[in-house]
Amino acid sequence: MDADAVRRAIREAFDERAEAYDESAMHRALASEAAAFAELATVRTVLDVATGTGLVLRALAERRPQLRMTGVDVSAGMLAVARRALPSAEWVQADAVALPAADGSVDLVTCATALHIIVDTDAAISEWARVLAPGGRVVTATFAQGDHEPGHVHAQTHDRAAPRYPRVHGPFASPEALARTVAGAGFAVSRHALWSYADDHVLIAELTLDG
């Protein structure tokens, strides 16, 4: 599949899942965990990449309702659910490699369980570096360990054995692998935690820009 075909397949698949997506207890719990992991003391603006139904932003809004929040996703269906759930945030249909934010304008970027399907992860990670304000941070949540080979079905996410689009977990499956992956954009892994829900194991990490 070429890149455009992959993007189209992802968009169509998540449009179909949108109305039922929040039924996943795992995704709801992970969003709360990622929001709790984020350091918010100096944060005013948040950009959630591949936001889906906005679960992470909803959890952050429970902690700090005054935050200025934007969620970006390729799926109009997912964004429609997000917009109903949290109308105070801004919801934008856009690709992860072309974020709708000015240079140095965001204090916190979040990206939960999406890096493994983003078509050009290097470009997406470079976008995080572009939009981050000085001292800003990124919080990622990525599937960990070695049980995510093609054909694996996540216990709570209900991923199908024959996905319509590629999934690549290896570059984000451990703190060491994630550090190597983000280093090219100038990031380092400053802290991390491992979180599990049933058979799903997730690495939650904070990234900061070197220097």
Side-chain angles (χ1 to χ4, degrees), residues 4-74:
D4 288 341
V6 172
R7 289 184 175 95
R8 183 167 57 252
I10 292 170
R11 184 173 62 250
E12 291 172 354
F14 281 91
D15 280 346
E16 291 173 10
R17 294 176 61 188
E19 292 300 326
Y21 191 84
D22 288 357
E23 295 173 7
S24 167
M26 179 270 188
H27 279 128
R28 296 195 309 271
L30 175 56
S32 295
E33 194 73 16
F37 180 87
E39 172 55 61
L40 300 181
T42 61
V43 172
R44 293 172 297 173
T45 56
V46 183
L47 177 63
D48 189 31
V49 179
T51 191
T53 60
L55 287 170
V56 171
L57 291 187
R58 288 189 246 170
L60 286 170
E62 291 181 2
R63 288 187 61 192
R64 293 275 297 275
Q66 69 271 35
L67 290 171
R68 189 164 70 251
M69 296 181 290
T70 301
V72 174
D73 203 278
V74 297

Coordinates of all heavy atoms in Angstrom, one line a residue, residues 4-74:
D4 N -0.7 7.2 0.7 CA -2.1 7.8 0.6 C -3.1 6.7 0.9 O -4.2 6.9 1.5 CB -2.3 8.4 -0.7 CG -1.6 9.7 -0.9 OD1 -1.2 10.3 0.1 OD2 -1.4 10.2 -2.0
A5 N -2.9 5.5 0.4 CA -3.8 4.4 0.6 C -3.9 4.0 2.1 O -4.9 3.7 2.6 CB -3.4 3.2 -0.3
V6 N -2.7 4.0 2.7 CA -2.7 3.7 4.1 C -3.5 4.7 4.9 O -4.3 4.4 5.8 CB -1.2 3.6 4.6 CG1 -1.2 3.4 6.2 CG2 -0.5 2.4 4.0
R7 N -3.2 6.0 4.6 CA -4.0 7.0 5.3 C -5.5 6.9 5.1 O -6.3 7.1 6.1 CB -3.5 8.4 4.9 CG -2.1 8.8 5.3 CD -1.7 10.2 4.9 NE -0.4 10.6 5.4 CZ 0.7 10.5 4.8 NH1 0.7 10.0 3.5 NH2 1.9 10.9 5.3
R8 N -5.9 6.6 3.9 CA -7.3 6.4 3.6 C -7.9 5.2 4.4 O -9.0 5.3 5.0 CB -7.5 6.2 2.1 CG -9.0 6.1 1.7 CD -9.1 6.3 0.2 NE -8.3 5.2 -0.5 CZ -7.2 5.5 -1.2 NH1 -6.7 6.7 -1.3 NH2 -6.6 4.5 -1.8
A9 N -7.1 4.1 4.5 CA -7.6 2.9 5.2 C -7.7 3.2 6.7 O -8.7 2.8 7.3 CB -6.6 1.8 5.0
I10 N -6.8 4.0 7.2 CA -6.8 4.3 8.7 C -8.1 5.2 8.9 O -8.8 5.0 9.9 CB -5.5 5.0 9.1 CG1 -4.4 4.0 9.1 CG2 -5.7 5.7 10.5 CD1 -3.0 4.7 9.2
R11 N -8.2 6.2 8.1 CA -9.4 7.1 8.3 C -10.7 6.4 8.2 O -11.6 6.6 9.0 CB -9.3 8.2 7.2 CG -10.4 9.3 7.3 CD -10.2 10.4 6.4 NE -10.3 10.0 5.0 CZ -9.2 9.9 4.1 NH1 -8.0 10.2 4.5 NH2 -9.4 9.5 2.9
E12 N -10.8 5.5 7.2 CA -12.1 4.8 7.1 C -12.3 3.8 8.2 O -13.5 3.7 8.7 CB -12.1 4.0 5.7 CG -12.1 4.9 4.5 CD -11.9 4.2 3.2 OE1 -11.6 2.9 3.3 OE2 -12.1 4.8 2.1
A13 N -11.3 3.1 8.7 CA -11.4 2.2 9.8 C -11.9 2.9 11.1 O -12.7 2.4 11.8 CB -10.1 1.4 10.0
F14 N -11.3 4.1 11.3 CA -11.6 4.8 12.6 C -12.9 5.5 12.5 O -13.7 5.7 13.5 CB -10.5 5.7 13.0 CG -9.4 4.9 13.7 CD1 -8.3 4.4 13.0 CD2 -9.4 4.6 15.1 CE1 -7.3 3.6 13.6 CE2 -8.4 3.9 15.7 CZ -7.4 3.4 14.9
D15 N -13.3 5.9 11.3 CA -14.7 6.4 11.1 C -15.7 5.4 11.5 O -16.7 5.7 12.1 CB -14.9 6.9 9.6 CG -14.3 8.2 9.3 OD1 -13.9 9.0 10.3 OD2 -14.2 8.6 8.1
E16 N -15.4 4.1 11.1 CA -16.4 3.1 11.4 C -16.4 2.7 12.9 O -17.5 2.4 13.4 CB -16.0 1.8 10.6 CG -16.2 1.9 9.1 CD -15.6 0.7 8.3 OE1 -15.2 -0.3 9.0 OE2 -15.5 0.8 7.1
R17 N -15.3 2.9 13.5 CA -15.2 2.5 15.0 C -15.7 3.7 15.9 O -15.8 3.5 17.1 CB -13.8 2.2 15.3 CG -13.3 0.9 14.7 CD -11.8 0.7 15.1 NE -11.6 0.5 16.5 CZ -10.4 0.5 17.1 NH1 -9.3 0.6 16.3 NH2 -10.3 0.3 18.4
A18 N -15.9 4.9 15.4 CA -16.0 6.1 16.2 C -17.1 6.0 17.3 O -16.8 6.2 18.4 CB -16.3 7.3 15.3
E19 N -18.3 5.6 16.9 CA -19.4 5.6 17.8 C -19.2 4.6 19.0 O -19.8 4.8 20.1 CB -20.7 5.4 17.1 CG -21.1 6.6 16.2 CD -21.3 7.9 16.9 OE1 -21.7 7.9 18.1 OE2 -20.9 8.9 16.3
A20 N -18.5 3.5 18.7 CA -18.3 2.5 19.7 C -17.0 2.6 20.4 O -16.7 1.8 21.4 CB -18.5 1.1 19.1
Y21 N -16.1 3.5 20.0 CA -14.7 3.5 20.5 C -14.6 3.7 22.0 O -13.8 3.1 22.7 CB -14.0 4.7 19.8 CG -12.5 4.6 20.0 CD1 -11.7 3.8 19.2 CD2 -11.9 5.4 21.0 CE1 -10.3 3.8 19.4 CE2 -10.5 5.3 21.2 CZ -9.7 4.5 20.4 OH -8.4 4.5 20.6
D22 N -15.5 4.5 22.6 CA -15.4 4.8 24.0 C -15.9 3.6 24.9 O -15.8 3.7 26.1 CB -16.2 6.1 24.3 CG -15.5 7.3 23.8 OD1 -14.4 7.2 23.3 OD2 -16.1 8.4 24.0
E23 N -16.4 2.6 24.2 CA -16.8 1.4 25.0 C -15.6 0.6 25.5 O -15.7 -0.2 26.3 CB -17.7 0.5 24.1 CG -19.0 1.1 23.8 CD -19.8 0.3 22.8 OE1 -19.3 -0.8 22.5 OE2 -20.8 0.8 22.3
S24 N -14.4 0.9 24.9 CA -13.2 0.2 25.3 C -12.7 0.7 26.7 O -12.3 1.8 26.9 CB -12.0 0.5 24.3 OG -10.8 0.1 24.9
A25 N -12.8 -0.1 27.7 CA -12.4 0.2 29.1 C -10.9 0.4 29.1 O -10.4 1.3 29.9 CB -12.8 -0.9 30.0
M26 N -10.2 -0.3 28.3 CA -8.7 -0.1 28.3 C -8.4 1.3 27.8 O -7.5 2.0 28.4 CB -8.1 -1.1 27.3 CG -6.6 -1.0 27.2 SD -6.1 0.1 25.8 CE -4.3 -0.2 25.8
H27 N -9.0 1.8 26.7 CA -8.6 3.1 26.2 C -9.0 4.2 27.2 O -8.3 5.2 27.4 CB -9.3 3.3 24.9 CG -8.6 2.7 23.7 ND1 -9.2 1.9 22.8 CD2 -7.3 2.8 23.4 CE1 -8.3 1.5 21.9 NE2 -7.1 2.0 22.3
R28 N -10.2 4.0 27.9 CA -10.6 5.0 28.9 C -9.6 5.1 30.0 O -9.2 6.1 30.5 CB -12.0 4.7 29.4 CG -13.1 4.8 28.3 CD -14.5 4.9 29.0 NE -14.7 3.8 29.9 CZ -15.2 2.6 29.6 NH1 -15.5 2.3 28.4 NH2 -15.4 1.7 30.6
A29 N -9.2 3.9 30.5 CA -8.3 3.8 31.6 C -6.9 4.4 31.3 O -6.3 5.1 32.0 CB -8.2 2.4 32.1
L30 N -6.4 4.0 30.0 CA -5.1 4.5 29.6 C -5.1 6.0 29.5 O -4.1 6.7 29.8 CB -4.8 3.9 28.3 CG -3.5 4.4 27.6 CD1 -2.3 4.2 28.6 CD2 -3.2 3.7 26.3
A31 N -6.2 6.6 29.0 CA -6.3 8.1 28.8 C -6.1 8.7 30.2 O -5.4 9.7 30.4 CB -7.6 8.5 28.2
S32 N -6.8 8.2 31.2 CA -6.7 8.7 32.6 C -5.3 8.6 33.1 O -4.7 9.5 33.8 CB -7.7 8.0 33.5 OG -9.0 8.3 33.1
E33 N -4.6 7.4 32.8 CA -3.3 7.2 33.3 C -2.3 8.2 32.6 O -1.4 8.7 33.3 CB -2.9 5.8 33.0 CG -1.6 5.3 33.7 CD -1.9 5.0 35.2 OE1 -3.0 4.9 35.6 OE2 -0.8 5.0 35.9
A34 N -2.4 8.4 31.3 CA -1.6 9.3 30.6 C -1.7 10.7 31.1 O -0.8 11.5 31.2 CB -1.8 9.2 29.1
A35 N -3.0 11.1 31.3 CA -3.3 12.5 31.8 C -2.7 12.7 33.2 O -2.1 13.7 33.5 CB -4.8 12.7 31.8
A36 N -2.7 11.6 34.0 CA -2.2 11.7 35.4 C -0.7 11.8 35.4 O 0.0 12.4 36.2 CB -2.6 10.5 36.2
F37 N -0.1 11.1 34.4 CA 1.4 11.1 34.2 C 2.0 12.5 33.8 O 3.1 12.8 34.1 CB 1.8 10.0 33.2 CG 3.2 9.9 32.9 CD1 4.0 9.1 33.7 CD2 3.8 10.6 31.8 CE1 5.4 8.9 33.4 CE2 5.2 10.4 31.6 CZ 6.0 9.6 32.4
A38 N 1.2 13.2 33.0 CA 1.6 14.5 32.5 C 1.9 15.5 33.6 O 1.0 15.7 34.5 CB 0.6 15.1 31.5
E39 N 3.0 16.2 33.5 CA 3.3 17.3 34.5 C 2.7 18.6 33.9 O 3.0 19.0 32.8 CB 4.8 17.5 34.6 CG 5.3 18.7 35.3 CD 4.7 18.8 36.7 OE1 4.9 17.9 37.5 OE2 3.9 19.8 37.0
L40 N 1.8 19.2 34.7 CA 1.0 20.3 34.2 C 1.3 21.6 34.8 O 0.6 22.6 34.5 CB -0.5 20.0 34.3 CG -1.1 18.8 33.6 CD1 -2.6 18.6 33.9 CD2 -0.8 18.8 32.1
A41 N 2.2 21.7 35.7 CA 2.5 22.9 36.5 C 2.6 24.1 35.6 O 2.2 25.2 36.0 CB 3.7 22.7 37.4
T42 N 3.3 24.0 34.5 CA 3.6 25.2 33.7 C 2.9 25.1 32.3 O 3.2 25.9 31.4 CB 5.1 25.3 33.4 OG1 5.6 24.1 32.7 CG2 5.9 25.5 34.7
V43 N 1.9 24.2 32.2 CA 1.2 24.0 30.9 C 0.0 24.9 30.8 O -0.9 24.9 31.7 CB 0.8 22.5 30.8 CG1 -0.1 22.3 29.6 CG2 2.1 21.6 30.7
R44 N -0.1 25.6 29.7 CA -1.3 26.3 29.4 C -2.0 25.8 28.1 O -3.2 25.9 28.0 CB -1.0 27.8 29.2 CG -0.5 28.5 30.5 CD 0.0 29.9 30.2 NE 1.1 29.9 29.3 CZ 1.7 30.9 28.8 NH1 1.2 32.1 29.0 NH2 2.8 30.8 28.0
T45 N -1.2 25.3 27.2 CA -1.7 24.8 25.9 C -1.3 23.4 25.7 O -0.2 23.0 25.9 CB -1.2 25.7 24.7 OG1 0.3 25.7 24.8 CG2 -1.7 27.1 24.8
V46 N -2.3 22.6 25.2 CA -2.1 21.2 24.9 C -2.5 20.8 23.5 O -3.6 21.3 23.1 CB -2.9 20.3 25.9 CG1 -2.6 18.8 25.7 CG2 -2.6 20.7 27.3
L47 N -1.7 20.1 22.8 CA -2.1 19.5 21.5 C -2.1 18.0 21.5 O -1.0 17.4 21.8 CB -1.1 20.1 20.4 CG -1.3 19.6 19.0 CD1 -2.7 20.0 18.4 CD2 -0.2 20.1 18.1
D48 N -3.2 17.4 21.3 CA -3.3 15.9 21.3 C -3.3 15.4 19.9 O -4.2 15.7 19.1 CB -4.5 15.5 22.1 CG -4.6 14.0 22.3 OD1 -3.5 13.4 22.5 OD2 -5.7 13.4 22.4
V49 N -2.3 14.7 19.5 CA -2.1 14.2 18.2 C -2.7 12.8 18.0 O -2.5 11.9 18.9 CB -0.6 14.1 17.8 CG1 -0.4 13.6 16.4 CG2 0.0 15.5 18.0
A50 N -3.5 12.6 16.9 CA -4.2 11.4 16.8 C -5.2 11.2 17.9 O -5.2 10.1 18.6 CB -3.3 10.2 16.6
T51 N -5.9 12.2 18.2 CA -6.7 12.3 19.4 C -7.9 11.3 19.5 O -8.4 11.0 20.6 CB -7.3 13.8 19.6 OG1 -7.8 13.9 20.9 CG2 -8.3 14.1 18.5
G52 N -8.3 10.8 18.4 CA -9.5 9.9 18.4 C -10.7 10.6 18.9 O -11.1 11.7 18.4
T53 N -11.3 10.0 19.9 CA -12.5 10.7 20.5 C -12.2 11.6 21.6 O -13.0 12.0 22.4 CB -13.5 9.6 21.1 OG1 -12.8 8.8 22.1 CG2 -14.0 8.7 19.9
G54 N -10.9 12.0 21.7 CA -10.5 13.0 22.7 C -10.4 12.5 24.1 O -10.4 13.3 25.1
L55 N -10.2 11.2 24.3 CA -10.2 10.7 25.7 C -9.1 11.3 26.6 O -9.3 11.6 27.7 CB -10.0 9.2 25.7 CG -11.2 8.4 25.2 CD1 -10.9 6.9 25.0 CD2 -12.4 8.5 26.2
V56 N -7.9 11.5 26.0 CA -6.8 12.1 26.8 C -7.1 13.6 27.1 O -6.9 14.0 28.3 CB -5.4 12.0 26.0 CG1 -4.4 12.8 26.7 CG2 -5.0 10.6 25.9
L57 N -7.6 14.3 26.2 CA -8.0 15.7 26.5 C -9.1 15.8 27.5 O -9.1 16.7 28.4 CB -8.3 16.5 25.2 CG -7.2 16.7 24.3 CD1 -7.6 17.6 23.1 CD2 -6.0 17.3 25.0
R58 N -10.0 14.9 27.4 CA -11.1 14.9 28.4 C -10.6 14.6 29.8 O -11.0 15.2 30.8 CB -12.1 13.8 28.1 CG -13.0 14.2 26.9 CD -14.1 13.1 26.8 NE -14.0 12.3 25.6 CZ -14.7 11.3 25.3 NH1 -15.6 10.8 26.2 NH2 -14.6 10.6 24.2
A59 N -9.6 13.7 29.9 CA -9.0 13.4 31.2 C -8.2 14.6 31.7 O -8.2 14.9 32.9 CB -8.1 12.1 31.1
L60 N -7.5 15.2 30.8 CA -6.7 16.4 31.2 C -7.6 17.5 31.7 O -7.3 18.3 32.6 CB -5.8 16.9 30.0 CG -4.6 16.0 29.8 CD1 -4.0 16.5 28.4 CD2 -3.6 16.1 30.9
A61 N -8.8 17.7 31.0 CA -9.7 18.7 31.4 C -10.3 18.5 32.8 O -10.6 19.5 33.5 CB -10.8 18.8 30.3
E62 N -10.4 17.3 33.2 CA -10.8 17.0 34.5 C -9.8 17.5 35.6 O -10.1 17.9 36.7 CB -11.1 15.5 34.7 CG -12.3 15.0 33.9 CD -12.5 13.5 34.1 OE1 -11.8 12.9 34.9 OE2 -13.5 13.0 33.5
R63 N -8.5 17.4 35.2 CA -7.4 17.9 36.1 C -7.3 19.4 36.0 O -7.2 20.1 37.1 CB -6.1 17.3 35.7 CG -5.9 15.8 36.0 CD -4.4 15.4 35.7 NE -3.5 16.2 36.5 CZ -2.2 16.2 36.3 NH1 -1.7 15.5 35.3 NH2 -1.4 16.9 37.1
R64 N -7.3 20.0 34.8 CA -7.1 21.4 34.7 C -8.1 22.0 33.6 O -7.7 22.1 32.4 CB -5.7 21.7 34.2 CG -4.6 21.4 35.2 CD -4.4 22.5 36.2 NE -3.9 23.7 35.5 CZ -2.6 23.9 35.2 NH1 -1.7 23.0 35.6 NH2 -2.3 25.0 34.6
P65 N -9.3 22.3 34.0 CA -10.3 22.7 33.0 C -9.9 24.0 32.3 O -10.5 24.3 31.2 CB -11.6 22.9 33.8 CG -11.1 23.0 35.2 CD -9.9 22.2 35.3
Q66 N -9.0 24.8 32.8 CA -8.6 26.0 32.2 C -7.6 25.9 31.0 O -7.3 26.8 30.3 CB -8.1 27.0 33.2 CG -6.7 26.6 33.8 CD -6.8 25.8 35.0 OE1 -7.7 24.9 35.1 NE2 -5.9 25.9 35.9
L67 N -7.1 24.7 30.8 CA -6.2 24.4 29.7 C -6.8 24.8 28.4 O -8.0 24.5 28.1 CB -5.7 23.0 29.7 CG -4.8 22.5 30.9 CD1 -4.6 21.0 30.8 CD2 -3.5 23.2 30.8
R68 N -6.0 25.3 27.5 CA -6.4 25.6 26.1 C -6.0 24.3 25.3 O -4.8 24.1 25.1 CB -5.7 26.8 25.5 CG -6.3 27.2 24.2 CD -6.0 28.7 23.9 NE -4.6 28.9 23.6 CZ -3.7 29.5 24.3 NH1 -4.1 30.0 25.5 NH2 -2.4 29.6 24.0
M69 N -7.0 23.6 24.8 CA -6.7 22.3 24.2 C -7.2 22.2 22.8 O -8.2 22.7 22.4 CB -7.4 21.2 25.1 CG -6.9 21.1 26.5 SD -7.7 19.8 27.5 CE -9.4 20.6 27.7
T70 N -6.3 21.5 22.0 CA -6.6 21.2 20.6 C -6.4 19.7 20.4 O -5.4 19.2 20.8 CB -5.8 22.0 19.7 OG1 -5.9 23.4 19.9 CG2 -6.1 21.7 18.2
G71 N -7.4 19.1 19.7 CA -7.2 17.7 19.3 C -7.2 17.5 17.8 O -8.0 18.2 17.1
V72 N -6.2 16.7 17.3 CA -6.0 16.6 15.8 C -6.2 15.1 15.5 O -5.6 14.2 16.2 CB -4.6 17.1 15.4 CG1 -4.4 16.8 14.0 CG2 -4.5 18.6 15.7
D73 N -6.9 14.8 14.4 CA -7.1 13.4 14.0 C -7.5 13.4 12.5 O -8.0 14.4 12.0 CB -8.2 12.7 14.8 CG -8.0 11.2 14.8 OD1 -8.4 10.6 13.8 OD2 -7.5 10.7 15.8
V74 N -7.2 12.3 11.8 CA -7.6 12.2 10.4 C -9.0 11.8 10.3 O -9.6 11.9 9.2 CB -6.7 11.2 9.7 CG1 -5.2 11.7 9.7 CG2 -6.7 9.8 10.3

